[in-house]
Amino acid sequence: MGTKSAWNWITLWASLLFVVILGFSRLSYGMFLPGIQRVIGGSYGQLGILGTVNFIGYLIGTLCLSPLISRFPDHKHIMNRMTCLLLGLTLIGSAFSDHFTQLGLWRFAIGLLSAFATVLVLSIAMDAVRPAERGVASGLIWLGGSAGILVTGLFAPFIIDPSHLQGWRYAWVIMGVFGVIAALGFEFVVTRERGVVKIPAPSESKPWDQESNHVYRLLLNPNKLLFLIASYFFFGWGYIIYFTYLIPYLVNQGIPSLYAGLIWSGIGFAGLFNGWIGGKAIDRWPSGYTLASGLTLGTIGACGVITDNMFFTVLGATTIGLVSFITPPLMTTALLRRHVPHHAYAPSLSIATGFFASGQIIGPIVGGLIVEQYGLPFGVASSAIFMAIAAALAVLYGQQQRKLEIRDLPIRSWC
């Protein structure tokens, strides 16, 4: 059982790693699309497929990691060390892509490695934290993704401005170098803290087939976690459409690159508060209703694009950053940590992340089709449909939680 507070060196370095894992390696792609299109060519639909390739790698990574953790539970730290270092190096490698196939292979590798890193970094960091503070710790870690969005937006004038054709290449190199440094820092503090504080590492485990059956029964049972997992799936579907096509929409509207970058950074800046507020909220009210509230506000925010008014578009983007960008993943992470046995947490998180990745695979394809047929405004706004479904499923999960709590309450009137 973890003994450290949410505010510790492991959590800090985990958050810095999430700058790379989420902000740089995955979500930066939407910012880079206009620059990549000018150098490599292709339509937004075709470039969206490369985003899908990234999430196919992400899905495969989550599916492979679960059996690996179950078979080699004592090697989690070694797997994490290798994965995080390779992730930084693949970001550097992707900067030298000259055609679709080459970039697609790099995006696939980045997706695969970021899937491993997401689960391993979260699992290692959360193991060290006291149970009562894991929501806050999760929020602190996930807000690294918001910081990555903020920093990426500041690069905008050098990435999407037509006068800087190679800007996206330099940015990816810088991001990759930062990733290597963050990986080394996280490894150093984890190794040091393990010598001082006993961070639990399971020494024995069930055979993978038994473990897998147990975890799938837990996650896919309508009376337990199915609605939470389904909500996570549709959130992945919806939010990735928004983040993939928002910057191309702004550029298409003639917004200067500096202002487009500031809007993108605004999402990340709002997300910094999101991580802290969302973590505190899920610790205080660990319920599907808490998750649904953020998703509902995010649905409203995504609809701002269809007004064709820049004020409402910016307001909607800020709303998404504040309440429904980092909140759903961190809340899902915290809820799983509360309701899943310790030995099954890493495999459960890996499988849940697989469903999330499946939604992210579908999202760019569906969004690309809508963009090609109806234009960028409707393509971006279509994300609201799937976020609304995610919110409804989170409400159903909250109702299921309430039923279980009522059923488990002692009947005091007969005492």
Side-chain angles (χ1 to χ4, degrees):
M1 190 68 66
T3 58
K4 302 183 74 64
S5 72
W7 300 84
N8 64 77
W9 284 108
I10 293 178
T11 303
L12 171 63
W13 280 99
S15 183
L16 290 175
L17 266 175
F18 262 63
V19 172
V20 182
I21 294 168
L22 180 60
F24 290 172
S25 72
R26 284 153 59 193
L27 296 182
S28 68
Y29 182 69
M31 170 66 74
F32 290 3
L33 274 183
I36 293 173
Q37 187 183 46
R38 293 188 191 102
V39 176
I40 296 180
S43 67
Y44 282 124
Q46 292 171 322
L47 292 169
I49 291 174
L50 291 188
T52 296
V53 168
N54 177 256
F55 291 112
I56 290 174
Y58 191 70
L59 175 61
I60 293 174
T62 59
L63 295 177
C64 292
L65 181 59
S66 191
L68 280 174
I69 291 175
S70 295
R71 289 184 183 276
F72 307 105
D74 295 328
H75 292 77
K76 198 162 58 172
H77 294 273
I78 297 173
M79 287 189 282
N80 181 70
R81 184 186 312 139
M82 295 174 58
T83 296
C84 291
L85 285 172
L86 286 173
L87 179 59
L89 294 174
T90 52
L91 273 173
I92 295 172
S94 66
F96 298 94
S97 302
D98 292 318
H99 49 77
F100 276 109
T101 303
Q102 192 176 7
L103 181 57
L105 290 172
W106 283 117
R107 295 303 297 165
F108 176 84
I110 288 170
L112 183 76
L113 293 167
S114 65
F116 275 59
T118 298
V119 176
L120 290 169
V121 171
L122 274 172
S123 177
I124 292 169
M126 299 289 271
D127 278 348
V129 176
R130 290 191 290 265
E133 298 186 50
R134 282 173 177 157
V136 174
S138 179
L140 292 172
I141 295 169
W142 279 101
L143 69 77
S146 293
I149 294 294
L150 192 158
V151 172
T152 305
L154 298 178
F155 278 126
F158 307 100
I159 296 174
I160 60 179
D161 193 288
S163 63
H164 299 282
L165 283 179
Q166 307 300 322
W168 58 276
R169 298 186 190 275
Y170 298 130
W172 257 337
V173 169
I174 294 170
M175 291 173 177
V177 171
F178 180 88
V180 171
I181 294 171
L184 294 174
F186 184 74
E187 177 63 24
F188 173 76
V189 295
V190 168
T191 302
R192 185 188 63 184
E193 294 295 339
R194 288 180 76 194
V196 177
V197 179
K198 181 64 177 177
I199 299 175
S203 58
E204 57 184 56
S205 62
K206 299 177 183 178
W208 161 243
D209 54 350
Q210 296 179 20
E211 182 87 15
S212 176
N213 289 336
H214 171 72
V215 170
Y216 276 108
R217 283 199 303 269
L218 183 64
L219 296 182
L220 302 183
N221 187 334
N223 296 321
K224 295 187 182 295
L225 296 170
L226 175 62
F227 292 124
L228 177 64
I229 299 304
S231 176
Y232 204 25
F233 167 78
F234 279 102
F235 168 70
W237 185 333
Y239 104 97
I240 199 59
I241 292 177
Y242 190 86
F243 277 88
T244 300
Y245 296 106
L246 176 63
I247 291 298
Y249 163 74
L250 294 174
V251 172
N252 191 62
Q253 292 292 102
I255 303 298
S257 59
L258 175 62
Y259 296 140
L262 289 175
I263 293 170
W264 188 263
S265 291
I267 297 174
F269 181 74
L272 295 177
F273 299 95
N274 180 343
W276 184 79
I277 294 170
K280 296 286 284 187
I282 202 64
D283 275 339
R284 186 174 179 84
W285 302 289
S287 166
Y289 296 124
T290 309
L291 172 60
S293 62
L295 288 167
T296 300
L297 290 172
T299 300
I300 296 170
C303 291
V305 176
I306 60 176
T307 65
D308 202 27
N309 182 293
M310 196 49 56
F311 172 78
F312 289 112
T313 299
V314 173
L315 181 63
T318 305
T319 302
I320 288 174
L322 186 61
V323 296
S324 54
F325 162 44
I326 293 299
T327 293
L330 81 85
M331 287 189 175
T332 302
T333 300
L335 288 169
L336 280 174
R337 195 68 185 87
R338 281 177 173 270
H339 300 294
V340 170
H342 173 76
H343 72 275
Y345 174 63
S348 297
L349 180 59
S350 178
I351 293 169
T353 305
F355 280 93
F356 179 54
S358 299
Q360 291 174 307
I361 288 171
I362 298 170
I365 297 175
V366 173
L369 291 173
I370 296 173
V371 166
E372 296 293 338
Q373 290 292 321
Y374 303 104
L376 280 165
F378 286 101
V380 177
S382 68
S383 61
I385 299 171
F386 308 105
M387 292 182 72
I389 296 172
L393 288 165
V395 169
L396 292 175
Y397 173 65
Q399 291 176 344
Q400 187 61 47
Q401 278 183 299
R402 190 169 182 81
K403 288 178 184 177
L404 291 174
E405 289 170 0
I406 293 173
R407 189 185 68 186
D408 293 339
L409 283 174
I411 304 176
R412 300 183 183 276
S413 59
W414 293 96
C415 298

